[in-house]
Amino acid sequence: MDPQPSSPGPGSSVHNRRWYILSVLVVSLLVVVLDNTILNVALKTIADPKEGLGATQSQLEWAINSYTLVFAGLLFTFGVIGDRIGRKRMLVIGLLLFGLSSLISSYATSPEQLIWARAAMGLGGAAIMPQTLSIISNIFEPHERGKAIGLWAGAVGIGVAIGPVTGGLLLDHFWWGSVFLINVPVIIAGVVAIVLMVPESRNPSPAKIDLVGVLLSIAGLVLVTYGIIEGGDKASWTEPSVLGPIVGGLLVLAFFVWYESRIDHPALNVKLFRDPRLSASVGAIALVFFGMAGVFFFISIYLQSVRDYSPLQAGLLTLPFAVAQLIFSPRSAAMVQRFGAKATTTTGLIVVFVAILSYQLAGTHSPIWMLEVSFFLQGAGMANVMPPATNAVMSVLPREEAGSGSALTNVSRQVAVALGVAILGSVVSSIYRHEMTPHLAGLPKAAGDSIGATTGIAEKLHLPADRLVDYGHTAFVHGMHVASGISAVIALAGVLVVLKWMPGRAKTDAADSASAQQRETADV
């Protein structure tokens, strides 16, 4: 394995086409991010025995969770492997696997086939995402890297918002499998562009892969993620099937940290967390995505079940979030340069806190424009958290470990998303059941399980349905308010983390300057 240069020179052909390469990487990332949200729109159709696969509620949940479980569990591992065997090579392998499994998903003939195909998509996604950021770190010099990462991070936010819109448009014209089939032509074009344009890069001094560390990281993350998903599915955190995996996974991860701190060539250099920039930045990313995932989960249900919008209309209503990401993410680098990473990240988290707190104003008949303002504020705030926090993480690491840094930020985000949906979803579900119980006399107990069940049973029985549904709407909105309050507290915790541990502008700039000088010396 020949060493690769750590960075293209200013006059190299790679340097001259770096922005074209970035566009290819962003599209590759966008396909993966879109898939995380596009499926939600198609769930109702997939559950239909005639138009879909007749999937049960549990099977629908696993169609989502199988992807998340594999993605989060293997993300770190593929970042490490990409550092060693070549990031371009791993990116192409990941895209091909993602495209093939998307094709299989689109023509699945049973819920079980769809669940396994989705797990394979998670495998491909885990191979793709860390490579995109690590390649960016290698083709851009420090003075441009912040802007490039800002565009990369903007793709993540935009993908989250436009996924439901894309899914709604496809379902308006095609069958449910089209939400997966749309990935295939985009991936084919992406693979061709990557082969022709993207340079190969890897660790210039490749070490032996830490197989024990890799296995421990997989086992720990899979166990914790599985426990979180089970907790959300069962709306209970006290059952052995929930507590067992979570506690076991945490013990495995604790042993992983202990083991990695004592070997010469660790898969993850845990000593890097002594740097407050890395620790505070990873914490900020995790906390802001915890709040975002939970909010988007119950807001989607609110728009469709309480406000009676169609999936496409509900998706279109989230566009202000994407617009804010598009406007502010590319400008975040200039904000960091002018005010510093700490001030920019803190301000972004405060805006996120205000936006999430404003969901308390959403009611059964509140003006929809208020929700649009909240979406825009949240997108603007996140656009000034993700890029500087991600850039801070990447600036701590030497370029040959860029894949590990990329995987670290993405793992923190995925675990936070799973935890946010599980915990906040359980909060909404528990409050809903509690408040609906007094109104279910003479009705099936299942009528209080969810707002969808309440509406369905009310329509089927032709009883005083309007009144029962009104009770359901009120109960759900109350649960949503409590969950958004918890999300706001989590965002505020992110503010405190950054204020406490992320160094100010002077320290950050000095560290970046010293890091740049070291890299220039190494290149010479």
Side-chain angles (χ1 to χ4, degrees):
M1 189 181 298
D2 297 330
Q4 297 294 319
S6 62
S7 175
S12 69
S13 60
V14 171
H15 182 85
N16 292 335
R17 65 177 189 270
R18 63 197 181 282
W19 295 107
Y20 297 104
I21 295 173
L22 175 64
S23 65
V24 174
L25 297 176
V26 166
V27 171
S28 301
L29 174 66
L30 192 59
V31 172
V32 175
V33 177
L34 273 172
D35 188 74
N36 286 334
T37 57
I38 198 172
L39 176 60
N40 292 328
V41 178
L43 291 178
K44 184 178 180 181
T45 307
I46 294 173
D48 191 295
K50 296 181 180 179
E51 296 184 13
L53 301 176
T56 65
Q57 182 66 33
S58 176
Q59 289 169 333
L60 290 176
E61 290 171 353
W62 276 110
I64 297 174
N65 294 342
S66 62
Y67 181 96
T68 304
L69 189 66
V70 174
F71 191 93
L74 294 176
L75 195 62
F76 168 75
T77 303
F78 279 121
V80 173
I81 295 175
D83 282 345
R84 286 160 172 76
I85 72 170
R87 292 134 185 173
K88 174 181 178 178
R89 181 183 302 172
M90 182 57 67
L91 180 58
V92 171
I93 292 172
L95 282 169
L96 291 174
L97 179 57
F98 195 87
L100 178 61
S101 52
S102 295
L103 182 63
I104 295 173
S105 295
S106 66
Y107 290 103
T109 57
S110 70
E112 291 77 14
Q113 287 184 13
L114 178 61
I115 291 168
W116 283 106
R118 287 279 298 163
M121 290 178 71
L123 188 68
I128 294 168
M129 185 168 277
Q131 316 313 324
T132 60
L133 187 53
S134 57
I135 290 172
I136 289 172
S137 296
N138 276 270
I139 64 175
F140 285 92
E141 295 297 326
H143 68 280
E144 289 185 326
R145 194 177 304 135
K147 182 178 180 180
I149 290 177
L151 294 171
W152 176 91
V156 175
I158 292 171
V160 169
I162 68 175
V165 179
T166 306
L169 286 170
L170 290 170
L171 290 173
D172 271 358
H173 298 89
F174 306 103
W175 92 114
W176 66 267
S178 62
V179 299
F180 301 113
L181 191 62
I182 190 65
N183 294 333
V184 176
V186 178
I187 286 173
I188 291 174
V191 168
V192 172
I194 288 167
V195 170
L196 296 177
M197 297 177 61
V198 176
E200 183 62 280
S201 64
R202 57 175 67 88
N203 191 327
S205 302
K208 183 179 179 181
I209 294 180
D210 173 22
L211 293 177
V212 175
V214 168
L215 292 175
L216 286 173
S217 67
I218 294 174
L221 288 170
V222 166
L223 282 172
V224 171
T225 307
Y226 177 82
I228 292 170
I229 290 171
E230 282 292 290
D233 287 345
K234 297 182 177 180
S236 172
W237 297 92
T238 59
E239 295 187 19
S241 62
V242 174
L243 287 177
I246 292 177
V247 173
L250 291 175
L251 290 174
V252 171
L253 291 175
F255 181 73
F256 166 74
V257 172
W258 177 86
Y259 177 80
E260 295 295 283
S261 66
R262 284 163 173 76
I263 62 175
D264 294 332
H265 301 289
L268 172 65
N269 185 0
V270 294
K271 296 177 181 178
L272 292 171
F273 283 95
R274 295 174 181 173
D275 190 305
R277 272 189 305 170
L278 187 143
S279 299
S281 299
V282 169
I285 291 170
L287 292 172
V288 78
F289 267 89
F290 177 98
M292 186 214 73
V295 165
F296 267 65
F297 174 74
F298 59 70
I299 284 293
S300 176
I301 298 174
Y302 164 78
L303 288 172
Q304 296 184 52
S305 297
V306 177
R307 304 304 297 267
D308 201 28
Y309 288 103
S310 69
L312 177 57
Q313 290 171 329
L316 289 171
L317 287 172
T318 65
L319 283 180
F321 180 90
V323 170
Q325 290 275 318
L326 189 63
I327 293 173
F328 293 103
S329 284
R331 292 168 171 77
S332 63
M335 297 293 290
V336 171
Q337 185 176 8
R338 183 173 181 181
F339 301 106
K342 181 175 184 175
T344 302
T345 306
T346 300
T347 302
L349 283 167
I350 292 174
V351 173
V352 170
F353 164 74
V354 172
I356 294 177
L357 195 62
S358 70
Y359 292 123
Q360 299 284 327
L361 302 175
T364 55
H365 301 290
S366 57
I368 201 64
W369 65 262
M370 296 171 61
L371 193 63
E372 300 298 277
V373 173
S374 298
F375 281 144
F376 186 85
L377 286 175
Q378 189 172 354
M382 290 191 65
N384 284 288
V385 173
M386 276 296 293
T390 303
N391 194 37
V393 172
M394 301 307 291
S395 67
V396 171
L397 298 171
R399 284 181 177 173
E400 57 270 19
E401 294 183 22
S404 300
S406 170
L408 182 62
T409 60
N410 285 298
V411 165
S412 67
R413 182 171 68 248
Q414 291 298 320
V415 172
V417 165
L419 186 61
V421 171
I423 292 179
L424 298 179
S426 295
V427 168
V428 175
S429 178
S430 298
I431 293 175
Y432 187 84
R433 288 192 180 103
H434 176 74
E435 295 201 358
M436 286 300 295
T437 299
H439 307 294
L440 299 178
L443 295 176
K445 186 179 179 180
D449 287 348
S450 67
I451 191 170
T454 301
T455 303
I457 290 177
E459 292 175 351
K460 183 177 180 180
L461 296 180
H462 301 289
L463 292 174
D466 291 341
R467 192 171 184 180
L468 181 63
V469 170
D470 286 343
Y471 285 137
H473 290 173
T474 302
F476 183 86
V477 168
H478 181 212
M480 184 180 76
H481 288 166
V482 174
S484 65
I486 295 173
S487 295
V489 171
I490 295 298
L492 185 60
V495 174
L496 300 178
V497 166
V498 171
L499 286 174
K500 175 67 176 177
W501 286 291
M502 182 176 280
R505 183 176 183 181
K507 292 183 179 179
T508 301
D509 291 348
D512 287 344
S513 177
S515 177
Q517 290 177 3
Q518 290 174 358
R519 288 169 180 162
E520 289 173 1
T521 302
D523 290 343
V524 173

